Amino acid sequence: QVQLVESGGGLVQAGGSLRLSCTASGLTFSSYHMGWFRQAPGKESEFVAAISWYGGSTYYADSVKGRFTISRDNAKNTVYLQMNNLKPEDTAVYYCAAKERNTGVSRTPGGYVYWGQGTQVTVSS
């Protein structure tokens, strides 16, 4: 019954921007920290960004700091990832994930209990 659905991926040239959205259903959205992870072909899943349940704390991988912004709208059950100044190395499938509030925010995928289907982001050069 729980579903996380990502949208907003696509093809963009280096230096361009995309905004990803992830809308949740079947869970109490404000009871979960939310994170974004990405996986490129042949590589392990990589942490991108996370946001606390109320939106007051955000965390970023060093590789995206200053370029990406995570935000959430609990009234819409949606978490966003604004991606600016995209680079070819950002090419990956991007997944949103939910982590129970009482377990704290983390940068590793193991603690996230619900995952979306992923959306492809391709950055050309």
Side-chain angles (χ1 to χ4, degrees):
Q1 191 169 331
V2 173
Q3 282 194 317
L4 305 179
V5 180
E6 302 98 333
S7 62
L11 175 65
V12 65
Q13 289 187 314
S17 298
L18 286 172
R19 190 191 197 199
L20 306 183
S21 299
C22 172
T23 299
S25 60
L27 79 171
T28 302
F29 189 66
S30 61
S31 292
Y32 292 86
H33 309 296
M34 299 298 297
W36 287 95
F37 295 81
R38 66 188 183 187
Q39 188 167 24
K43 299 182 68 176
E44 295 182 355
S45 179
E46 178 187 21
F47 169 78
V48 177
I51 187 167
S52 59
W53 66 274
Y54 64 101
S57 299
T58 57
Y59 307 85
Y60 298 94
D62 288 342
S63 59
V64 307
K65 205 175 315 180
R67 300 189 297 121
F68 291 10
T69 302
I70 188 170
S71 61
R72 68 189 295 163
D73 186 342
N74 285 353
K76 296 181 178 179
N77 284 6
T78 300
V79 62
Y80 306 94
L81 185 68
Q82 178 67 47
M83 305 185 295
N84 297 327
N85 192 24
L86 283 160
K87 303 176 180 180
E89 50 263 46
D90 296 319
T91 295
V93 177
Y94 284 70
Y95 300 89
C96 69
K99 188 173 188 292
E100 291 180 332
R101 185 173 64 185
N102 60 11
T103 64
V105 181
S106 75
R107 289 175 163 86
T108 57
Y112 289 81
V113 294
Y114 300 115
W115 293 80
Q117 84 287 354
T119 186
Q120 176 71 48
V121 172
T122 303
V123 184
S124 64
S125 62

